[in-house]
Amino acid sequence: MTHFLDIHKTDPSDLRQIIDQAAQMKAARTGRPKGAPDDTQPLAGRMVALIFEKPSTRTRVSFDVGVRQMGGETLVLSGKDMQLGHGETIADTARVMSRYVDLIMIRTFDETVLTEMSEYSDVPVINGLTDRTHPCQIMADILTYEEHRGPIKGKKVVWTGDGNNVCSSFLHAAGQFGFDLTFTGPAQLDPEEEFVGLARKAGSTITIERDAAKAVADADLVVADTWVSMHDSQSSKERRHNMLRPYQVNDALMAHAKPDALFMHCLPAHREEEVTSAVMDGPQSVIFDEAENRLHAQKAVMRWCLGV
Ligand code: CP
Ligand code: NVA
């Protein structure tokens, strides 16, 4: 079974194949209406379940549109409306869903839901974000970086703020795609040690630097994310904001990066908190390309999972 659970669990040559196919599929659609079918219909006759236990705009819409462009059909399900949210086990849900659909994408809280789903499912399972990782986002981000600047191998990526789920998938990608990553944020919100270790073992230079300006020096790519993720308690908001304020990405901070550095944010963003509007809407920002590329990258992920 070819699940797409995390970037570090996927072979580097498969990851490269997915990125290359995404770029090709994107190019083949140039100038077409969003709803126009792709030339080839690799998902014809396939049914894809999209399960959401957390809110979503990009993941939900990009998966749904992507499946339709490739000729498949979707079921968009809210976890709380399923028996899953009312005591049915994940294992039973996985076995039942596998009788109806060809592919499952799930966005959930605890990673164990995803892993248990993948263990009991007879069809491929895709990680649409957990509290711990967000691999589809980073596949889109790699595609975006390479579209603008060429190979990401050997580049310096700087993650600012909270060492959260999106940061974890960036660390996985650092190891698999061969780039270096500097984390700058407060010690309380450091990235997971296990993932830092994995990236280092794979040969990437992973640096922790508390001084944001020093961290960003010579960066090829600066990345920010929300200071309060969906799984964080709202009561932690003020404490987090106080800790994270020195790590806001603004013009002064971007000035330390290479002149041609890009800025990324997975969105949704909180303008004037983790990043200023001047940076978000400025010439170095590629945030809406990232959002678009969720569509193309995930289409290639789905084809890889299904072998079509
Ligand atoms: N970046 C991202 O996953 O966005 P959504 O939460 O809107 O899906
Ligand atoms: N870190 C954010 C990403 C949202 C796409 C969250 O988990 O809420």
Side-chain angles (χ1 to χ4, degrees):
M1 194 58 54
T2 313
H3 302 298
F4 187 72
L5 300 182
D6 270 313
I7 289 179
H8 66 303
K9 294 177 181 163
T10 309
D11 194 82
S13 63
D14 288 345
L15 294 169
R16 178 48 61 192
Q17 179 203 311
I18 291 168
I19 297 290
D20 290 349
Q21 184 166 51
Q24 281 161 17
M25 291 176 81
K26 179 176 181 176
R29 288 195 61 83
T30 308
R32 292 198 193 169
K34 310 294 184 296
D38 286 344
D39 286 339
T40 59
Q41 296 280 279
L43 262 60
R46 309 278 183 151
M47 183 62 73
V48 180
L50 307 174
I51 305 173
F52 289 92
E53 296 199 283
K54 285 177 180 172
S56 168
T57 297
R58 280 142 288 266
T59 306
R60 186 185 180 116
V61 178
S62 58
F63 265 104
D64 200 345
V65 170
V67 172
R68 291 168 196 233
Q69 288 180 349
M70 295 193 291
E73 298 208 41
T74 57
L75 286 167
V76 184
L77 303 159
S78 152
K80 68 178 185 313
D81 295 332
M82 297 172 71
Q83 298 293 7
L84 178 66
H86 300 272
E88 186 165 20
T89 66
I90 297 149
D92 288 347
T93 304
R95 286 182 284 210
V96 169
M97 293 298 292
S98 305
R99 300 289 177 108
Y100 301 131
V101 305
D102 300 289
L103 182 62
I104 299 170
M105 190 287 314
I106 181 164
R107 165 170 286 195
T108 189
F109 288 87
D110 199 297
E111 182 182 63
T112 57
V113 174
L114 174 79
T115 44
E116 198 173 333
M117 184 76 81
S118 67
E119 274 161 31
Y120 288 90
S121 171
D122 295 326
V123 301
V125 174
I126 296 175
N127 177 357
L129 178 145
T130 68
D131 295 355
R132 207 170 177 212
T133 60
H134 196 7
C136 289
Q137 179 66 51
I138 301 329
M139 293 301 280
D141 293 352
I142 303 293
L143 176 61
T144 307
Y145 185 86
E146 296 200 336
E147 261 176 10
H148 285 271
R149 294 286 183 266
I152 196 162
K153 192 174 165 64
K155 300 294 181 186
K156 176 178 174 180
V157 175
V158 178
W159 179 274
T160 62
D162 179 12
N164 64 14
N165 46 2
V166 181
C167 177
S168 292
S169 287
F170 248 115
L171 280 168
H172 296 156
Q176 300 289 64
F177 287 94
F179 58 86
D180 298 330
L181 189 142
T182 297
F183 168 85
T184 186
Q188 297 94 318
L189 300 176
D190 269 350
E192 286 199 45
E193 258 177 54
E194 180 193 337
F195 296 156
V196 169
L198 269 179
R200 285 182 177 151
K201 208 170 148 201
S204 298
T205 301
I206 307 298
T207 308
I208 309 277
E209 169 57 63
R210 303 286 167 222
D211 184 306
K214 280 188 194 156
V216 168
D218 289 328
D220 295 290
L221 169 63
V222 178
V223 193
D225 188 12
T226 179
W227 287 343
V228 186
S229 282
M230 291 182 274
H231 59 273
D232 291 320
S233 72
Q234 278 304 309
S235 62
S236 68
K237 188 173 168 181
E238 197 182 328
R239 185 174 52 84
R240 285 174 159 272
H241 276 228
N242 289 337
M243 279 193 290
L244 286 160
R245 212 158 279 129
Y247 299 97
Q248 183 193 65
V249 180
N250 48 38
D251 284 331
L253 188 63
M254 284 303 288
H256 293 276
K258 284 189 181 154
D260 69 342
L262 297 177
F263 170 75
M264 288 193 188
H265 190 308
C266 65
L267 305 179
H270 301 77
R271 286 172 179 261
E272 317 312 335
E273 293 181 9
E274 70 269 14
V275 57
T276 59
S277 286
V279 171
M280 276 185 78
D281 302 327
Q284 289 168 288
S285 172
V286 289
I287 55 175
F288 298 112
D289 292 337
E290 285 178 85
E292 175 182 343
N293 283 338
R294 293 293 303 278
L295 170 70
H296 308 295
Q298 289 157 189
K299 285 169 72 177
V301 167
M302 289 188 275
R303 291 187 69 168
W304 176 78
C305 285
L306 290 167
V308 294

